[in-house]
Amino acid sequence: DAGITQSPRYKITETGRQVTLMCHQTWSHSYMFWYRQDLGHGLRLIYYSAAADITDKGEVPDGYVVSRSKTENFPLTLESATRSQTSVYFCASNYGGVYNEQFFGPGTRLTVL
Amino acid sequence: AQKVTQAQTEISVVEKEDVTLDCVYETRDTTYYLFWYKQPPSGELVFLIRRNSFDEQNEISGRYSWNFQKSTSSFNFTITASQVVDSAVYFCALNYNQGGKLIFGQGTELSVKP
């Protein structure tokens, strides 16, 4: 089925561990985005990518690493998880440009103990 | 700086009441788009509407309507005759550059009680 998927949907980890959140889209969208959603902050952009092998920082990139070797995949890695990274993470994609809406994945709820 | 403000954190209404969700934005760009998204209790984000900076016509879609006023930098969303299924968090967002990045407001949690 076409769409955007995220895995895992729920993850509990411990402080200091490395965690990778996966995002996969089937629309061949050029742009992909990672957001985190926290109470009182709405959604904040972590990283985004304009195409394969092109990534850039968003508003809150510290503590996160991304890569994009294939157009359809955009994994987000927390290299050494901290409690402040407990959040709901959303992946999104679109064709870029100021006009196009973003299509969001179902989200990953991450808890760092 | 680009910014979106949704000053209403939570709104509670009784079914069939009309409700307006406020959105105020800041940008120096002359070309931009504004969006509204809905996040129901199930958690997914659903696109509702976009409006470009050159089109100040109001938009109506069923019970939903949007009022865009550049003079006050506002893009407010009204639900007429609210229903329990309208209960959700609503986000207003701004897109001002070709990268497609969105700047979101903090969200307004709407609770519609029967």
Side-chain angles (χ1 to χ4, degrees):
Chain A
D1 290 340
I4 183 166
T5 56
Q6 294 182 233
S7 62
R9 294 292 313 279
Y10 302 91
K11 176 73 177 179
I12 299 175
T13 191
E14 295 177 339
T15 301
R17 290 191 180 266
Q18 182 179 85
V19 177
T20 296
L21 309 183
M22 304 301 294
C23 178
H24 175 79
Q25 53 101 358
T26 60
W27 290 302
S28 300
H29 284 160
S30 52
Y31 279 80
M32 296 187 75
F33 308 84
W34 274 107
Y35 294 89
R36 59 177 290 173
Q37 182 179 12
D38 304 290
L39 204 60
H41 291 279
L43 281 87
R44 292 180 292 175
L45 183 65
I46 304 171
Y47 269 96
Y48 68 103
S49 168
D53 298 321
I54 301 174
T55 62
D56 206 350
K57 296 178 180 179
E59 182 186 356
V60 288
D62 293 344
Y64 303 95
V65 174
V66 293
S67 62
R68 195 166 175 207
S69 57
K70 292 184 178 181
T71 300
E72 61 267 30
N73 297 325
F74 191 38
L76 175 73
T77 298
L78 289 66
E79 293 192 304
S80 179
T82 65
R83 289 200 180 95
S84 65
Q85 292 177 310
T86 292
S87 186
V88 179
Y89 291 84
F90 285 97
C91 179
S93 69
N94 72 1
Y95 288 113
V98 71
Y99 169 84
N100 292 302
E101 73 271 25
Q102 292 182 12
F103 296 87
F104 285 82
T108 295
R109 184 174 294 275
L110 175 67
T111 301
V112 182
L113 302 176
Chain B
Q2 330 289 338
K3 187 178 178 182
V4 176
T5 301
Q6 295 178 256
Q8 306 150 306
T9 305
E10 297 178 9
I11 300 176
S12 182
V13 299
V14 176
E15 209 170 16
K16 297 184 183 176
E17 284 186 29
D18 298 347
V19 58
T20 296
L21 310 182
D22 297 333
C23 173
V24 174
Y25 64 94
E26 297 175 30
T27 180
R28 292 195 188 120
D29 291 74
T30 56
T31 301
Y32 53 89
Y33 275 75
L34 296 161
F35 299 79
W36 276 95
Y37 283 84
K38 174 182 180 179
Q39 186 177 41
S42 52
E44 74 273 22
L45 282 146
V46 179
F47 164 73
L48 294 177
I49 192 172
R50 77 169 67 86
R51 172 66 70 225
N52 77 57
S53 52
F54 301 105
D55 181 3
E56 290 194 68
Q57 282 190 335
N58 289 338
E59 177 89 13
I60 298 174
S61 176
R63 296 184 297 104
Y64 294 173
S65 62
W66 290 267
N67 181 279
F68 175 38
Q69 291 193 338
K70 286 181 74 171
S71 60
T72 56
S73 297
S74 64
F75 186 40
N76 297 335
F77 173 27
T78 297
I79 301 174
T80 302
S82 59
Q83 300 176 1
V84 173
V85 293
D86 295 327
S87 296
V89 180
Y90 291 87
F91 290 98
C92 181
L94 167 70
N95 187 339
Y96 63 95
N97 64 32
Q98 294 302 314
K101 294 183 291 184
L102 288 174
I103 295 179
F104 283 86
Q106 302 91 325
T108 297
E109 183 172 3
L110 174 65
S111 176
V112 182
K113 301 188 185 307

